[in-house]
Amino acid sequence: MKLDPFYLIVDSAEWIERLVPLGVKLVQLRIKDRSKPVLREEIRRSKAACAAAACQLIINDYWKLAIDEGCDFIHLGQEDLMAADLNAIRRTGLKLGLSTHDPSELETALAAAPDYVALGPVWPTILKEMKWAPQGVERLADWRRRVGPMPLVAIGGITAERAPLVLENGADSAAVVTDITRNPDPEARTRQWLAATAPWRSVGETPRLA
């Protein structure tokens, strides 16, 4: 399995409909504290937009809704992993990505046999309070050795300018939130990300994670 090197994370279907048509091939829908009907509609809109653009959609946290709506990929944090029914997830064929922040969490994640793991924060992040210190690109090389051929995602404080650094140091994909969503021109910044990660994107390769 291969991840696109540019991993966009947004909190609404509106963002997906706005940015995915620019050429984004991997996007996570991460929404917090919304009602189930709203979440279901957001997932449906996101699925439609991603299908039209041949973009892989990953749903954060809501694995039951992801199953109900016929999604094919979810991402869970460590707390969400503890509460999730991994057997139900696997029975439906859902692929699984997991967050890690330290060696203990990586051990827990690997025991769940995910399809990829994420390491963060690489640099300080303004997205949310983190109890973990920035990992630095050096930790990526260590994680790369630990996970073997499994795809590795870097997240936390990554900008278009920093993306090549994480990709050169063991990450398969660089995840981004605020560098795009809080940019004065998100479309232009998305194009800069696509250009910055282009050397790691195989020409003509399908973005779907089969």
Side-chain angles (χ1 to χ4, degrees), residues 9-170:
I9 301 175
V10 293
D11 63 2
S12 71
E14 182 179 358
W15 274 118
I16 288 177
E17 291 165 346
R18 180 176 174 183
L19 299 179
V20 161
L22 301 177
V24 176
K25 296 302 178 185
L26 180 63
V27 64
Q28 181 187 129
L29 178 65
R30 180 164 68 184
I31 304 176
K32 302 294 183 181
D33 304 321
R34 303 294 295 275
S35 69
K36 186 175 289 187
V38 170
L39 289 168
R40 193 178 297 277
E41 180 61 22
E42 290 282 323
I43 290 172
R44 289 176 178 177
R45 285 175 57 188
S46 298
K47 273 193 69 182
C50 287
C55 175
Q56 175 65 61
L57 173 65
I58 299 176
I59 304 299
N60 182 268
D61 288 354
Y62 301 105
W63 60 270
K64 291 181 182 178
L65 276 176
I67 291 173
D68 289 346
E69 294 301 320
C71 299
D72 54 16
F73 220 128
I74 59 165
H75 182 95
L76 300 177
Q78 292 280 316
E79 291 183 3
D80 302 302
L81 173 61
M82 296 301 101
D85 185 340
L86 290 181
N87 288 329
I89 289 170
R90 291 305 187 191
R91 279 197 303 270
T92 62
L94 268 178
K95 295 187 182 300
L96 173 66
L98 296 174
S99 295
T100 67
H101 305 88
D102 59 39
S104 175
E105 289 193 349
L106 178 60
E107 185 177 339
T108 298
L110 293 179
D115 294 282
Y116 77 78
V117 295
L119 170 66
V122 180
W123 286 282
T125 175
I126 61 173
L127 182 63
K128 60 182 178 180
E129 279 291 323
M130 299 289 280
K131 66 180 181 181
W132 298 275
Q135 306 286 334
V137 294
E138 298 81 7
R139 179 61 67 85
L140 283 169
D142 180 38
W143 249 235
R144 174 79 280 155
R145 288 189 294 271
R146 290 169 182 254
V147 305
M150 181 184 299
L152 175 63
V153 176
I155 187 170
I158 303 176
T159 63
E161 293 75 23
R162 286 171 167 173
L165 290 175
V166 300
L167 296 171
E168 290 166 356
N169 280 275

